[in-house]
Each structure stands twice: as C-alpha cells, then as structure tokens.
Amino acid sequence: MLDYDKEAERYDASRGGEPRAAAAAEAVLGLVPPDTRSLLDLGCGTGIVTRRLAAAREGMRVTGVDLALAMARQAAARLPGAILLGDSRRLPFRDGEFDAVSSVWLLHLAAGTADVRAIVGECARVLRPGGVYITTVDKAASHNVGSDIDVVLSSRPPSPVRDAAADVVAGAAGHGLVPAGQASFRGHGQGRSPRRTVADLRRGWFVTLPPGDPLADGFATRLAELPDQDRPRPDPVFTLRAFRKPADPPAG
C-alpha cells in the first residue's frame, strides 16, 4: 500500500493532472441531481477533483474529507475552509446532512470488506432522504486495457478486490440505497509505459509485489524487455455507480 502522505507531492502529476480531474468531475456531476445544494467528497485527496465539483454549480456547497494529512493540506489550499481531516468509516457529520456524497478512487483502498461496508454505511447515513451516493467501482480492472504490459502482469499474485461492482451494489442495498445510474470516464495520462510500470513496481504500487521481492524483480526484467519502453499504452476507463437513498414516505 502506498503511503499517501509521502505520495501527496507527486500525486497529481503522476495521475493525469487536470485532464483526468476534469473528466472525473464531469462524470460525477452528470450523476448529481441538478437541485443538489450540498455535496460531500470523500477521499478528496489533493482536492484536484473536489475543486472542480465546487466550481461547477453556483450555490452548491462542497466539503472534502481525507485521511492523509499531506493530501488534505493540498486540498485545503485549493478550497480554503472546505476540507476536513477525517476517517470515512466514522464521519463527523450529522444524519442526513448532505444532498449528495461522492467517493472517487476510495473503496479499493479499504483494508477489507468490513471497512467497505462501514464507508458505504456512513455515506448512506449522512445522505438526506432522496440524496445520491456516487462512487467508482472495479478500479483495478479498469487498468487492464489488454496491452502487452497487462499480458506480462497477468500472472502476478492477485490483489484483494474491495470495490467489485456487484459487492458495492449489494453493500449499498444493505444500507437501503437503490441503484440510480452509472457513468464512465477516461483516466487521461494514466496509460502505462513499460518503463513507468517498472518504476511503479520499485516503489510499491503493486501490493502483492513488494519492492525487493524476487518475484517483483522478475516482472521488472520482463517488462524491461518490451518494445517502446516510453510509449504509454491506452488510458484506463473508470466506472461510476450511483445510488439513491429513498425519500421518506409521506406522513399519515
């Protein structure tokens, strides 16, 4: 697992920067109802997407939360007064406080299925009746674009998948949320090259191939033998799922 406090300085530049953030924000906003007045962005990271969400609609209050201090500091510089340091499993907000909640590239980082359930449960709790929760799913699978790099890496030990779409849908249903649409967006600038993939291996990007492990060194050797070492392969395409919290039934 990467240390996101250490990763903060290079995070945006290594993951597509503003073009990727623009694509993510546009896709999220396409699932946010037009009458939304408050949105919580969980796992907001450096705030590069959060800022775009806040700027997109006049009158919509956006709050960001992240667990990593260095990431939250960068987000706070982009959105002063709108960023909190906090744990998405135990949110410091009252029930029904937000019209919408988003979590882009968050659930796959959970330590286990119990944590995913806790995060989704908190999102459901802080949503008002009729509100919408939007999250990325199947992140790791999105990076498999069928390239020669993917062929080399196909035999690596599998990582636990925390954000499988079917599991997220089931977890959302367990907290009373119902499907409300989906969307996709391109991860601009995230297409892997062989040389970049070797560098990612060396710094612990792949959790089942820790740096210095002989298995990781073997994959690095095979990747270094591929042609076009600096040519990025196709960008990943990420998937969003939206869920609605049913409105309270009419009284009486």
Side-chain angles (χ1 to χ4, degrees), residues 191-211:
R192 291 173 174 154
S193 69
R195 198 182 312 278
R196 175 176 166 180
T197 307
V198 170
D200 286 339
L201 271 172
R202 301 297 191 207
R203 67 192 185 91
W205 179 282
F206 300 96
V207 296
T208 60
L209 296 171

Side-chain angles (χ1 to χ4, degrees), residues 32-83:
V32 174
D35 60 346
T36 298
R37 291 293 172 263
S38 59
L39 182 147
L40 172 64
D41 188 27
L42 282 186
C44 67
T46 65
I48 193 170
V49 175
T50 319
R51 177 179 60 185
R52 288 179 174 273
L53 297 175
R57 294 188 186 175
E58 186 176 355
M60 184 173 73
R61 173 178 59 87
V62 174
T63 303
V65 171
D66 203 274
L67 185 61
L69 178 59
M71 300 286 263
R73 282 175 173 163
Q74 290 205 26
R78 285 178 160 134
L79 283 169
I83 306 299

Side-chain angles (χ1 to χ4, degrees), residues 44-127:
C44 67
T46 65
I48 193 170
V49 175
T50 319
R51 177 179 60 185
R52 288 179 174 273
L53 297 175
R57 294 188 186 175
E58 186 176 355
M60 184 173 73
R61 173 178 59 87
V62 174
T63 303
V65 171
D66 203 274
L67 185 61
L69 178 59
M71 300 286 263
R73 282 175 173 163
Q74 290 205 26
R78 285 178 160 134
L79 283 169
I83 306 299
L84 285 77
L85 191 66
D87 190 331
S88 55
R89 298 167 298 180
R90 295 178 292 275
L91 293 173
F93 305 109
R94 66 180 184 274
D95 296 358
E97 186 165 345
F98 295 95
D99 296 331
V101 178
S102 61
S103 62
V104 179
W105 304 304
L106 172 66
L107 295 184
H108 72 287
L109 297 173
T113 55
D115 280 356
V116 172
R117 287 194 297 269
I119 294 168
V120 174
E122 281 292 87
C123 292
R125 181 184 67 78
V126 302
L127 270 180

